[in-house]
Amino acid sequence: MIDALFQILDASGVDLRYMLIFLPSRRAVRTVEMALVKRLGRAVLLPHLVALGEGVDDPEFIDDVDGVDVITNLERVAVIARLLAADADIKNLGMALPIARDLVRMQDYMENEGVNASDIDWGALVDDKYANHFQAKAKMLNIMSRVMDEFGAGRVTQTQKRNDDIRAWCGVLDKYKLVIVCGSTASVPATADLMVAVAQRAYGRIILSGKIDGRKEDFELNTNPYNAEQKFLARIGCDVADVVPIDVGGSVIDFLNFCFGNNPDDYAGDKNLSHCHLIDAPSEAAEAAAVAEIAARGIAQNKSVLVITPDAAANQRIGAALGARNITADFSGGISATMTCVGRAILNLLDAWIEGATDVFDKIYVKNNKNLFATITEIVKVYYPDFAPQFVIDDDVSVMVWGAIRNLSDACNAAGIELSVHDARAFIADVLSGVSVRNTPNADACVSVIGTIESRMQTADIVILTGLNEGMFPARGYENAWLPRRIAEQIGLPSADRKVSLQALDFMNLSCGPQVYWTRSRVSGGVQTMQSRFLSRLNARRAIFDTAVGVDVLNCVNMRDAPVADGLDYSPPVAPADWSDVYVTELEHLIHNPYSFYVRHILKLRVLDDWWMGVDARAFGNLVHDVIKDANDLNPNRLIAEMDMRARGLLGTGGVLYHFWYKRFVEIAPIISDVLSKIPNQYREIGGHVKIPVGKSYRTVRARADMVWNDGVMDFKTGTPPNRSQLMAGNMPQLPIEALILQSGGFDLPYGVRVTKTPVMSFLQLKNGDVKHIEYDADTTQKMIDAAVAKVTELFNIYTVGGAPYEYRETGDDKYKAYDDLARIRD
């Protein structure tokens, strides 16, 4: 297309500065700019290059164009959503919003195609021949059209404004000596009107895409690649045979034209498409990886790569695959503002407030006179530390988001809408989904990833057409649930097959590149796919193209996805010497299962509570401990009342577990009262520490005792406490070490409290059906202290000083098996 354009420029004899050239997209404008500069090799006054769809920029016309009062799409959506929310079947703004957005989209589509919805009597058009739901929608369309006319008060829509701006170019064409429209199919009425105006002038040139050649009856089919071009030629009274071919070198376009026509004869020419390679991938992920593999090979050969993606999801998959290969690419498609840090943070915070049923938003909203933008501004100011993810308030992306929310706020105010937090969340998500955040174009990248429209007038050494599945490439045309297809055709809307026609032309043009790859996935979203009708047409015409390269590419992808396994290391972990403070409760793990100590103490990992598990025995133990710790009145009835109140908060009063717990409260309260009332000057839940000799140094062991007094320590056990033999062997060191801490003055007791050198130990066993006080005298306690110290010292010498690995030991106690999955014991 650029070569064809240059031929027209050279033949005109007109200086570049006096030319006006319309191109398919802004990317095409940049491409032509760079091509002109490269071709001339010097500074030059470029022609006036304009992307089709952009409004007139001539100073003499700007004031007239910009002076038009416009009703924004947001205002229209807000008004329609408010009306729909009053419907008994819709009920609220959140449910009305997507319907309103779809209605506005349909109205814009009709306006774009030259159909004025306000001029149509929808009730008469969609009569009783149609289903009830279509008739109900027709009534709604009548109401919406009337209300929007009244609300608009003479203002034009954004679509009307854009189309008027395009047509305004017709008034400035005579200021130029040469006007060219290049690469457009004239499928949009406003663009077609401009192209007609250009074609009617002696200095006007239209460069059509492809090579329109063949049977007229084929062109009249809605799916034919040249359907839109044929309609344009008919409109200006030009026969297809009168279109002048521009010779830009050899091409397979003639065979492709034959493939996409319906001539029943066999093609007499060359069917060789060996420059095209089909890659039939098993999945979408494999297809994206194949694209990255082809791009990597091209870059290694110093070639440029052009990737065509039909949808945003494919764009993201390919972006991830290229990133995994450290390939820098220029992406045309942006990401939705809902996926940016600032957009996600706002929605996350609103979600949290909705889930927590809080009224924070409502209070701030009312405080700011129900102005959404002021509300969000205050929320950001006050709750900025709570946002996740964090974001920069004044960077370019955030500024775009604030602008979108301000426009939304103005639209809601104009429509008289008051928002709940649910409504605000829905509206903000809707408006941000329409904000596209794009990266700055990267002209230095060897790989470009673009859509089909932006691919027009683009070329590269390697072209990759992705997503060649039916329903994706070609994509389905615009259809909606509001109008039966027959009615859509009756009011003048184009066939839904128009998109097939346009993408067929893109497919043919792109397949004329020097090296072309067609890629598709056999499965998409877990569903088997059907190959694109474009490929089916080539197969039906017995086109000769390559499939061997595709097999090689997929083999390479599979090799990368299946690296040689590096065997797991099952040897027990060896940690650097650990001299950190250790809690006495963790010493039991070191004794019974060193690996669980390693995970718990050194890696500091904890098992999260299972959200699906209800209240268990651990909760009962914590409740009892907390009541004893806080108790000032040890009267049994008071203890029962306090435990009962806390149990109601956890369990309610209707379950079996509550009644079982209450029975236990009645059982344990008298023993708690009796035992604790006899001990003077007691201190509950108190911390302390002691230094244990290790080699030539010491290691600090810390503890938080349930209760201590001048002469002893006590541990409350709602389960089974350690038995005498375990304590004498030093295998359960918690209470003996706490006795040692008391003996050495290591507890944080009030100043002046004197402690004994011969403490006693006791367990207050609060086990179901076996409640009792277990005491050990001073001599027995000392033996248990000595055994515990010996055991702990031995272990510290083994692991802290000796650097022994923290091996896994099988145990029947669930307490020491919490990290079995990390130990891979089942492997």
Side-chain angles (χ1 to χ4, degrees), residues 122-183:
W122 295 103
L125 190 64
V126 185
D127 55 22
D128 55 11
K129 294 193 299 293
Y130 294 93
N132 289 334
H133 71 93
F134 277 128
Q135 295 181 52
K137 290 172 182 175
K139 293 179 182 177
M140 190 174 291
L141 285 171
N142 268 334
I143 296 171
M144 296 301 169
S145 298
R146 186 179 71 251
V147 170
M148 290 312 300
D149 284 345
E150 295 174 0
F151 181 77
R155 293 180 291 171
V156 301
T157 65
Q158 290 178 247
T159 299
Q160 290 174 312
K161 174 68 163 54
R162 184 181 64 253
N163 289 335
D164 291 344
D165 289 351
I166 294 171
R167 293 185 174 97
W169 280 107
C170 298
V172 301
L173 299 180
D174 293 336
K175 298 181 65 175
Y176 298 89
K177 296 181 180 180
L178 180 66
V179 180
I180 301 173
V181 179
C182 184

Side-chain angles (χ1 to χ4, degrees), residues 291-353:
V291 170
E293 174 65 23
I294 298 166
R297 294 182 181 188
I299 293 171
Q301 299 171 11
N302 199 28
K303 293 182 177 180
S304 57
V305 181
L306 181 65
V307 183
I308 311 301
T309 60
D311 73 329
N315 199 311
Q316 293 180 12
R317 286 193 298 271
I318 291 169
L322 292 173
R325 300 291 294 269
N326 295 318
I327 297 174
T328 301
D330 178 23
F331 282 85
S332 67
I335 63 169
S336 164
T338 57
M339 301 303 294
T340 62
C341 289
V342 56
R344 195 67 261 153
I346 293 171
L347 296 177
N348 285 345
L349 185 63
L350 294 177
D351 284 338
W353 287 350

Side-chain angles (χ1 to χ4, degrees), residues 82 428 433 486 804:
R82 183 183 177 188
I428 291 174
S433 66
R486 180 180 171 187

Side-chain angles (χ1 to χ4, degrees), residues 359-681:
D359 61 352
V360 175
F361 175 87
D362 300 322
K363 289 180 178 178
I364 300 175
Y365 187 56
V366 171
K367 176 184 174 184
N368 286 278
N369 299 317
K370 300 183 179 179
N371 181 288
L372 179 61
F373 181 73
T375 300
I376 296 298
T377 300
E378 182 169 339
I379 288 172
V380 171
K381 181 179 179 181
V382 175
Y383 293 94
Y384 184 74
D386 297 338
F387 280 109
Q390 284 286 292
F391 57 89
V392 179
I393 294 177
D394 57 355
D395 66 7
D396 292 342
V397 175
S398 295
V399 169
M400 290 177 65
V401 168
W402 306 142
I405 294 177
R406 179 185 286 278
N407 293 337
L408 171 62
S409 180
D410 293 342
C412 290
N413 291 340
I417 290 177
E418 295 183 5
L419 301 169
S420 68
V421 64
H422 295 81
D423 299 333
R425 202 275 182 204
F427 269 88
I428 291 174
D430 175 75
V431 74
L432 293 188
S433 66
V435 176
S436 181
V437 180
R438 296 175 178 264
N439 293 323
T440 303
N442 185 355
D444 297 327
C446 296
V447 180
S448 296
V449 183
I450 58 179
T452 52
I453 294 177
E454 285 195 309
S455 71
R456 295 165 190 171
M457 297 197 68
Q458 304 300 312
T459 188
D461 300 319
I462 297 173
V463 177
I464 309 173
L465 285 78
T466 69
L468 282 164
N469 288 327
E470 196 61 24
M472 183 61 68
F473 196 168
R476 297 179 180 88
Y478 177 78
E479 292 185 280
N480 63 80
W482 292 88
L483 298 177
R485 182 174 292 189
R486 180 180 171 187
I487 292 294
E489 293 175 356
Q490 186 175 339
I491 65 177
L493 293 179
S495 166
D497 289 329
R498 181 175 69 176
K499 196 163 189 176
V500 175
S501 165
L502 298 176
Q503 289 195 326
L505 185 57
D506 291 329
F507 175 84
M508 292 197 308
N509 288 333
L510 290 163
S511 294
C512 291
Q515 285 293 318
V516 180
Y517 291 84
W518 302 320
T519 72
R520 64 174 296 262
S521 57
R522 294 193 296 272
V523 174
S524 174
V527 178
Q528 188 171 353
T529 62
M530 180 183 298
Q531 74 171 9
S532 167
R533 67 184 70 182
F534 301 159
L535 297 177
S536 298
R537 279 189 168 270
L538 297 177
N539 286 322
R541 296 297 191 175
R542 288 179 285 186
I544 301 169
F545 52 84
D546 170 70
T547 57
V549 171
V551 173
D552 177 61
V553 167
L554 289 175
N555 284 338
C556 290
V557 168
N558 291 335
M559 291 281 291
R560 294 184 66 86
D561 285 344
V564 177
D566 187 5
L568 292 172
D569 183 2
Y570 288 98
S571 59
V574 178
D578 174 37
W579 290 89
S580 63
D581 293 1
V582 58
Y583 267 88
V584 67
T585 50
E586 294 177 335
L587 292 177
E588 293 180 16
H589 289 267
L590 188 60
I591 293 169
H592 298 282
N593 186 359
Y595 181 81
S596 70
F597 175 85
Y598 166 78
V599 176
R600 182 182 177 88
H601 177 74
I602 296 179
L603 298 185
K604 301 189 184 305
L605 299 181
R606 294 290 186 272
V607 178
L608 296 177
D609 291 336
D610 188 340
W611 284 33
W612 298 102
M613 291 294 292
V615 178
D616 56 11
R618 184 178 54 176
F620 178 85
N622 291 337
L623 182 151
V624 172
H625 274 73
D626 289 344
V627 169
I628 297 174
K629 178 190 70 174
D630 299 333
N632 293 318
D633 184 353
L634 293 174
N635 181 280
N637 292 330
R638 181 58 190 159
L639 290 172
I640 293 171
E642 184 64 27
M643 288 187 283
D644 178 65
M645 181 188 72
R646 300 194 187 197
R648 288 169 183 264
L650 284 175
L651 305 173
T653 59
V656 174
L657 187 59
Y658 165 76
H659 295 287
F660 175 73
W661 279 19
Y662 185 81
K663 172 180 172 294
R664 291 193 63 185
F665 297 155
V666 173
E667 180 184 21
I668 66 177
I671 303 298
I672 296 172
S673 175
D674 180 61
V675 172
L676 267 58
S677 296
K678 296 176 181 178
I679 301 175
N681 302 321

